[in-house]
């Protein structure tokens, strides 16, 4: 290792980048953003060297990326001056709302609006609507009043760390809807989340009884119909990671798309005159994986898989040779550069 320079995107650089990101997770607090530019220039200079100091630069880049993303995520949280106050906000419902016996919980993206809290525009909230008299549809737009507070969780060792989860998902605040009768729906359901809800309902209508809940989870990542007993059985049998949309699902769909395109090339060989078969199959796999990731709600496991597939297929599209270790390193670097806080998720 000391005699030859490490490749710019090789396994050694990927390991150094990951080590820097993980190192920051052990710090009790993060440095302010104004301290990062100078170390960033030093890190880039070290990374551009053609000796072992490149690994030091990659380590520093990992540290600086994790610090920058961490500070940004913390700054997104609810300002203390707005905590506990009744605020009028406008925005759209994200994902698939969780419908309970007496309440509906959903994520809400604040958009600019008349009379809304300007400090919250663009931020993501997790709201609870008690006993709603209307359906809260995915992708619908609302103007409502809410009481918010910063994400808060318990500190029981080994328990669920909601604050860490909120930080990773960039949730700025949690709260509940005040005076539901005054809420106004500004727009009907639309977008990819509305499509997910319609497909999930079609699955429920097509399958009799309660068997549809597993197909909904496997096909669309819709786990709202799974009971606590279902999760206990899945955990006991080691199938929890498969029941919702996982990386395996996205990879399988991308593989089928590539095989389908290869079959089309065999039926119509003239297609190769416009685009070579390896590049055509790679492009089809990438586009299909991107669409299915969106259909699954951009869950982190699916986004990681999409980035890894993109890293591998990009080399194929550019006709660059790639060994297994190179593909793994490039995928790891792509995931960490896109979101260093993804290391907080199992």
């Amino acid at each position: 290792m000391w005699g030859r320079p490490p490749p710019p995107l090789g396994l050694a650089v990927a390991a150094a980048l990951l080590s820097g990101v993980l190192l920051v997770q052990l710090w009790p607090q993060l440095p302010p953003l104004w301290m990062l530019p100078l170390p960033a220039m030093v890190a880039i200079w070290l990374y551009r060297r053609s000796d072992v100091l490149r690994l030091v630069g990659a380590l520093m880049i990992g540290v600086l990326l994790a610090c920058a993303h961490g500070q940004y995520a913390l700054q997104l949280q609810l300002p203390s001056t707005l905590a506990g106050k009744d605020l009028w906000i406008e925005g759209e419902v994200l994902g698939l709302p969780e419908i309970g016996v007496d309440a509906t919980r959903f994520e809400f993206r604040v958009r600019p609006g008349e009379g809304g809290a300007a400090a919250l525009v663009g931020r993501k909230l997790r709201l609870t609507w008690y006993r709603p008299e209307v359906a809260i549809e995915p992708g619908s737009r609302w103007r409502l009043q809410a009481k918010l507070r910063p994400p808060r969780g318990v500190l029981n060792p080994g328990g669920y760390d909601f604050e860490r989860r909120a930080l990773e998902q960039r949730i700025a605040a949690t709260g509940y809807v005040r005076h539901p009768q005054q809420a106004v729906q500004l727009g009907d359901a639309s977008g990819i989340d509305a499509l997910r809800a319609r497909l999930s309902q079609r699955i429920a209508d097509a399958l009799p009884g309660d068997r549809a809940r597993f197909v909904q989870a496997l096909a669309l990542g819709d786990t709202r119909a799974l009971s606590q007993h279902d999760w206990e059985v899945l955990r006991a049998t080691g199938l929890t990671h498969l029941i919702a949309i996982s990386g395996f699902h996205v990879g399988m769909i991308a593989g089928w798309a590539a095989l389908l395109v290869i079959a089309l090339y065999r039926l119509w060989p003239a297609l190769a005159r416009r685009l070579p078969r390896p590049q055509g199959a790679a492009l089809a796999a990438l586009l299909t994986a991107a669409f299915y990731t969106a259909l699954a709600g951009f869950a982190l496991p699916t986004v990681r898989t999409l980035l890894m597939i993109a890293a591998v297929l990009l080399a194929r599209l550019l006709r660059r040779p790639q060994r297994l270790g190179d593909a793994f390193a490039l995928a790891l670097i792509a995931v960490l550069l896109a979101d260093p806080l993804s290391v907080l998720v199992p």
Side-chain angles (χ1 to χ4, degrees):
M1 182 181 69
W2 295 96
R4 65 178 65 176
L9 299 176
L11 275 174
V13 169
L17 184 68
L18 176 62
S19 300
V21 172
L22 292 175
L23 181 63
V24 176
Q25 313 310 316
L26 304 177
W27 294 1
Q29 61 184 16
L30 298 176
L33 290 176
W34 62 266
M35 295 181 59
L36 302 184
L38 181 59
M41 291 187 289
V42 176
I44 294 174
W45 178 78
L46 291 173
Y47 178 77
R48 290 174 59 88
R49 291 178 60 92
S50 58
D51 53 21
V52 74
L53 290 178
R54 172 174 288 165
L55 300 182
V56 179
L59 179 73
M60 292 180 61
I61 291 175
V63 169
L64 296 171
L65 275 175
C67 290
H69 277 260
Q71 282 284 17
Y72 175 72
L74 290 175
Q75 291 179 4
L76 285 178
Q77 292 187 354
L78 181 73
S80 58
T81 55
L82 300 180
K85 295 183 178 180
D86 292 344
L87 303 172
W88 281 99
I89 53 178
E90 291 186 14
E92 59 182 325
V93 178
L94 302 178
L96 301 178
E98 302 174 8
I99 303 175
V101 177
D102 59 349
T104 298
R105 293 174 176 83
F106 56 95
E107 293 182 355
F108 193 77
R109 177 79 68 185
V110 180
R111 301 300 185 190
E114 182 179 355
L120 298 178
V121 172
R123 305 191 188 189
K124 183 165 65 172
L125 314 175
R126 184 169 179 83
L127 301 178
T128 301
W129 191 325
Y130 292 101
R131 293 178 294 276
E133 298 181 357
V134 294
I136 313 300
E137 299 179 343
S140 58
R141 292 180 290 113
W142 290 83
R143 184 174 187 269
L144 48 83
Q145 191 179 40
K147 177 174 285 190
L148 305 175
R149 69 176 186 181
R152 188 181 305 168
V154 296
L155 297 177
N156 295 333
Y160 180 69
D161 192 342
F162 177 73
E163 289 188 30
R164 182 177 68 178
R165 182 69 169 173
L167 183 69
E168 177 267 320
Q169 293 189 342
R170 312 311 197 266
I171 295 177
T174 61
Y176 62 94
V177 177
R178 295 272 292 169
H179 308 296
Q181 66 277 7
Q182 298 181 7
V184 179
Q185 184 171 353
L186 304 176
D188 297 331
S190 61
I192 193 68
D193 290 326
L195 176 60
R196 290 181 68 201
R198 289 196 297 269
L199 292 176
S200 180
Q201 186 59 46
R202 291 185 65 178
I203 292 174
D205 296 338
L207 294 178
D210 57 355
R211 290 180 294 175
R213 66 190 191 279
F214 290 108
V215 181
Q216 291 168 318
L218 284 168
L220 300 171
D222 184 3
T223 59
R224 296 176 296 172
L226 296 179
S227 64
Q228 185 63 31
H229 175 70
D230 292 332
W231 287 114
E232 292 175 357
V233 173
L234 292 170
R235 282 192 290 266
T237 54
L239 296 176
T240 306
H241 66 290
L242 291 179
I243 194 61
I245 297 295
S246 66
F248 174 77
H249 294 74
V250 181
M252 181 176 63
I253 294 296
W256 277 110
L259 290 176
L260 178 61
V261 170
I262 290 174
L264 291 177
Y265 272 89
R266 291 185 180 274
L267 292 175
W268 292 284
L271 292 175
R273 296 177 181 176
R274 298 183 178 273
L275 183 66
R277 187 177 69 179
Q279 280 69 41
L283 187 60
L286 181 59
L287 294 177
T288 306
F291 174 75
Y292 194 61
T293 299
L295 197 61
F298 288 103
L300 184 59
T302 61
V303 173
R304 281 197 302 248
T305 305
L306 176 62
L307 290 172
M308 290 187 280
I309 290 175
V312 174
L313 295 184
L314 183 62
R316 175 60 65 91
L317 289 172
L318 297 177
R319 304 182 184 183
R320 295 291 189 269
Q322 196 175 52
R323 298 174 300 178
L324 180 61
D326 297 332
F328 179 79
L330 189 59
L332 177 57
I333 291 172
V335 170
L336 293 176
L337 291 180
D339 186 10
L341 297 186
S342 62
V343 298
L344 297 175
V345 184

